[in-house]
Amino acid sequence: MVFDQPPLGSPVEHEHATAVLLLGALSVFCCGALGPIAWALGRRALNEIEEGGGRFGGRVQVLVGYVLGVVGTCLMVVFACIFLLMAISGRA
């Protein structure tokens, strides 16, 4: 009989944990267009970590990258609106 128990030992870091963190940080500091990618990839990785039952680690990295991706996306939208308003007013 097979039981669905978490594996023994320390969990393996999720394969996208570092990528989500890097994309989220880059979206805030230099390229806002990476924000939606970090947002989507982070959401998927968080779901896999939750469903994994302790098999995957790196939840904190993924969560920080996910939040940074959301912030980077919001900043990108705000700056795009400001730029658009400046362009419409003729001051750009």
Side-chain angles (χ1 to χ4, degrees):
M1 193 184 262
V2 176
F3 296 101
D4 191 22
Q5 295 179 352
L8 298 175
S10 62
V12 176
E13 183 178 293
H14 191 276
E15 61 184 345
H16 298 302
T18 305
V20 171
L21 182 61
L22 180 65
L23 288 170
L26 288 174
S27 75
V28 171
F29 295 114
C30 66
C31 184
L34 295 175
I37 299 169
W39 193 347
L41 195 60
R43 182 77 256 162
R44 187 179 318 151
L46 282 174
N47 288 340
E48 290 175 2
I49 289 171
E50 294 297 323
E51 293 171 358
R55 288 185 312 171
F56 297 115
R59 186 178 193 288
V60 173
Q61 279 182 306
V62 172
L63 190 59
V64 169
Y66 174 77
V67 170
L68 287 174
V70 171
V71 170
T73 302
C74 293
L75 287 173
M76 177 183 67
V77 169
V78 167
F79 286 129
C81 289
I82 290 171
F83 179 77
L84 184 63
L85 289 173
M86 287 174 57
I88 290 172
S89 70
R91 295 184 182 211

